[in-house]
């Protein structure tokens, strides 16, 4: 059994010092003012009970709720933009897609490619596309979402609109 | 506050019983049945402790006065929903602690402190003797210095750790009561308390003895 370290009895403990805080008290006249004010506030609370819409308004205006609403709006906008990544146009678009499993008609000469994309998520960025023709080639850049952890991998590919629907990918 | 025969009668009923929790519950029931004087009695009973808690958490006496008012108004408005599953005082402490922590969050960017003066009358003479023993300066000067250093050290604790220290060391509540008030487990309360006191021990090293964490 180990002995506890000796207590330095000439000096107070943290607890003794903290008890000093009990001595910090407001002067007596503070309480008479406090009581009068509370009495007034209580009467006001009884007479002017806020209506339900005032309470809902107060709840909505709480600090932090605005930030949460902004974050939710951002998430909705992001989700909507992510829902239509191949909408055409030359503007660069980004979206995140889970890796698809290799289709049965996949080219046998690129087996490693599917092994690489299986069970991974990629950010797809539209580099260019022909908005005028739905069958025109589109060029995409695929960036593995876990690229920083795996030392970085970048795959660039061309994908046709028709090719996409038949799940054929050309590297 | 209301000082009338009815107030005295209610006060007598409330103090006749041995269990303070039962006395509080009796008063709560009276308030629920429309007796405002009973609420005055609850205010008289807890106002100093609620003020002290909020003041020590926020370190601002003006905020503490406002938040104590807010606490009692909230308690009054929510009394319908108080079913007596917990003690009245833990319930009202919880309202006060939540109000104080919310206020700290709100004024994170405009922090300023204001402290009450030390009232030597009514202080524990043993604590005073221990604090002033071996000091070269006069007692009032020493107490002011200690108060300043103590408040500085308390400000360096996170609000959650400070709350636990205030409730345990200053308000004298048990671990179980604190756990109920702050809504955590007793283990978390003990752990926060240990960490906070260790931090205070380091910050107040020149003023406190070694191995005084217990």
């Amino acid at each position: 059994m180990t002995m506890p370290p000796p207590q330095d009895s000439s000096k107070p403990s943290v607890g003794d010092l903290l008890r000093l805080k009990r001595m910090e008290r407001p002067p007596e006249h503070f309480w008479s003012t406090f009581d009068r004010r509370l009495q007034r506030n209580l009467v006001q609370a009884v007479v002017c009970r806020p209506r339900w819409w005032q309470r809902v308004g107060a709840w909505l205006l709480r600090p932090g709720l605005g930030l949460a609403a902004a974050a939710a709006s951002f998430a909705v906008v992001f989700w909507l933009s992510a829902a239509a990544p191949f909408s055409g146009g030359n503007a660069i678009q980004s979206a995140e897609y889970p890796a698809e499993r290799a289709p049965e008609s996949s080219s046998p000469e690129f087996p490693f490619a599917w092994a690489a994309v299986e069970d991974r998520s990629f950010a797809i960025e539209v580099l260019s596309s022909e908005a005028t023709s739905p069958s025109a080639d589109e060029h995409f850049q695929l960036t593995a979402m876990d690229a920083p952890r795996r030392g970085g991998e970048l795959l660039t590919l061309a994908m046709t609109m028709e090719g996409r629907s038949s799940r054929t990918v050309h590297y | 506050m209301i000082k009338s025969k009815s107030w005295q009668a209610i006060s007598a009923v409330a103090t006749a019983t041995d269990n303070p929790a039962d006395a509080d519950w009796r008063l709560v029931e009276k308030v629920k049945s429309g007796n405002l004087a009973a609420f005055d009695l609850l205010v008289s009973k807890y106002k100093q402790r609620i003020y002290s808690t909020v003041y020590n958490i926020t370190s601002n006496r003006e905020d503490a006065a406002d938040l104590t008012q807010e606490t009692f108004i909230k308690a009054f408005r929510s009394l319908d929903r108080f079913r007596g599953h917990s003690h009245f005082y833990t319930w009202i402490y919880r309202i006060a602690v939540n109000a104080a922590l919310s206020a700290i969050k709100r004024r994170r960017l405009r922090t300023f402190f204001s402290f009450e003066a030390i009232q030597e009358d009514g202080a524990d003479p043993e604590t005073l003797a221990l604090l002033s023993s071996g000091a070269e300066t006069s007692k009032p000067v020493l107490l002011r210095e200690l108060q300043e250093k103590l408040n500085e050290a308390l400000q360096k604790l996170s609000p959650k750790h400070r709350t636990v220290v205030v409730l345990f060391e200053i308000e004298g509540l048990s671990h179980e009561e604190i756990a109920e008030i702050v809504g955590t487990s007793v283990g978390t309360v003990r752990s926060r308390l240990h960490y906070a006191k260790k931090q205070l021990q380091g910050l107040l090293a020149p003023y406190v003895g070694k191995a005084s964490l217990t």
Side-chain angles (χ1 to χ4, degrees):
Chain A
M1 200 172 102
T2 55
M3 291 291 287
Q7 170 78 42
D8 187 352
S9 58
S10 65
K11 283 186 173 179
S13 67
V14 170
D16 292 329
L17 267 187
L18 285 166
R19 277 190 280 282
L20 190 65
K21 292 287 286 174
R22 291 180 187 170
M23 294 159 64
E24 287 179 21
R25 292 195 308 267
E28 273 308 307
H29 64 82
F30 166 85
W31 291 114
S32 53
T33 314
F34 177 91
D35 288 346
R36 273 200 305 276
R37 201 177 137 203
L38 183 61
Q39 194 73 34
R40 202 173 52 238
N41 287 339
L42 279 174
V43 170
Q44 210 168 11
V46 172
V47 175
C48 318
R49 199 170 171 81
R51 298 195 182 277
W52 68 267
W53 52 267
Q54 285 174 315
R55 276 179 280 171
V56 169
W59 184 80
L60 288 172
L61 290 173
R62 284 183 314 166
L65 207 67
L67 192 68
S73 307
F74 178 78
V76 168
V77 169
F78 182 78
W79 180 76
L80 286 174
S81 65
F86 302 107
S87 56
N90 290 325
I92 289 177
Q93 298 171 12
S94 268
E96 188 183 323
Y97 293 92
E100 290 180 350
R101 291 197 63 79
E104 288 176 7
S105 60
S106 168
S107 306
E109 60 267 33
F110 298 110
F112 68 93
W114 280 113
V117 297
E118 259 184 352
D119 300 319
R120 292 173 67 184
S121 294
F122 292 85
I124 298 180
E125 190 171 74
V126 181
L127 297 176
S128 65
S129 67
E130 292 293 330
T132 50
S133 167
S135 61
D137 284 355
E138 286 190 342
H139 297 276
F140 300 88
Q141 181 170 292
L142 253 68
T143 312
M145 294 306 285
D146 53 351
R149 274 182 285 131
R150 299 201 179 196
E153 288 178 47
L154 200 66
L155 304 171
T156 304
L157 62 116
M159 182 190 285
T160 66
M161 291 297 281
E162 287 171 358
R164 177 177 162 264
S165 61
S166 64
R167 295 178 178 236
T168 306
V169 177
H170 304 285
Y171 289 89
Chain B
M1 308 260 46
I2 297 168
K3 297 279 180 190
S4 62
K5 279 183 183 174
S6 67
W7 189 89
Q8 286 166 357
I10 293 161
S11 175
V13 169
T15 50
T17 174
D18 290 331
N19 190 344
D22 288 347
D24 287 351
W25 178 241
R26 229 173 281 237
L27 289 172
V28 167
E29 282 184 324
K30 280 183 185 295
V31 181
K32 282 184 177 183
S33 63
N35 193 333
L36 269 178
F39 192 73
D40 284 344
L41 203 63
L42 287 168
V43 171
S44 303
K45 194 170 175 183
Y46 291 110
K47 65 183 179 185
Q48 295 197 5
R49 291 167 72 179
I50 295 296
Y51 176 83
S52 161
T53 303
V54 175
Y55 162 73
N56 285 311
I57 293 173
T58 59
S59 298
N60 185 299
R61 59 185 183 180
E62 288 80 19
D63 282 355
D66 291 345
L67 291 167
T68 307
Q69 293 270 338
E70 191 185 312
T71 299
F72 284 112
I73 299 294
K74 266 188 189 167
F76 181 74
R77 280 187 169 148
S78 317
L79 215 55
D80 297 348
R81 295 198 292 273
F82 178 66
R83 301 270 176 257
H85 298 311
S86 59
H87 292 310
F88 175 77
Y89 72 90
T90 54
W91 181 72
I92 201 160
Y93 262 113
R94 189 157 61 229
I95 296 175
V97 165
N98 286 341
L101 294 176
S102 300
I104 289 175
K105 266 188 202 167
R106 276 201 303 270
R107 62 167 173 82
R108 204 165 26 192
L109 297 176
R110 49 173 190 88
T111 308
F112 57 92
F113 309 118
S114 64
F115 296 104
E116 298 286 2
I118 283 186
Q119 311 280 332
E120 279 189 55
D121 58 308
D124 177 18
E126 281 181 22
T127 307
L128 275 181
L130 185 63
L131 291 174
S132 55
S133 65
E136 290 169 8
T137 51
S138 66
K139 196 161 46 173
V141 173
L142 175 80
L143 286 179
R144 258 203 307 278
E145 187 187 327
L146 283 175
Q147 183 197 18
E148 201 181 305
K149 297 294 172 193
L150 183 59
N151 285 327
E152 270 176 27
L154 277 171
Q155 287 316 309
K156 288 180 182 161
L157 298 180
S158 75
K160 280 182 180 177
H161 286 92
R162 201 185 316 142
T163 301
V164 173
V165 167
V166 166
L167 293 175
F168 185 78
E169 291 289 351
I170 304 171
E171 294 305 312
L173 298 179
S174 70
H175 292 137
E176 289 76 15
E177 287 167 331
I178 298 170
E180 200 179 324
I181 290 165
V182 300
T184 57
S185 67
V186 174
T188 306
V189 169
R190 286 207 174 102
S191 148
R192 280 184 193 169
L193 196 58
H194 179 77
Y195 176 83
K197 286 172 88 174
K198 201 172 165 185
Q199 206 177 339
L200 288 173
Q201 175 81 40
L203 292 165
L204 297 165
Y207 302 92
V208 294
K210 286 175 187 168
S212 57
L213 278 180
T214 51

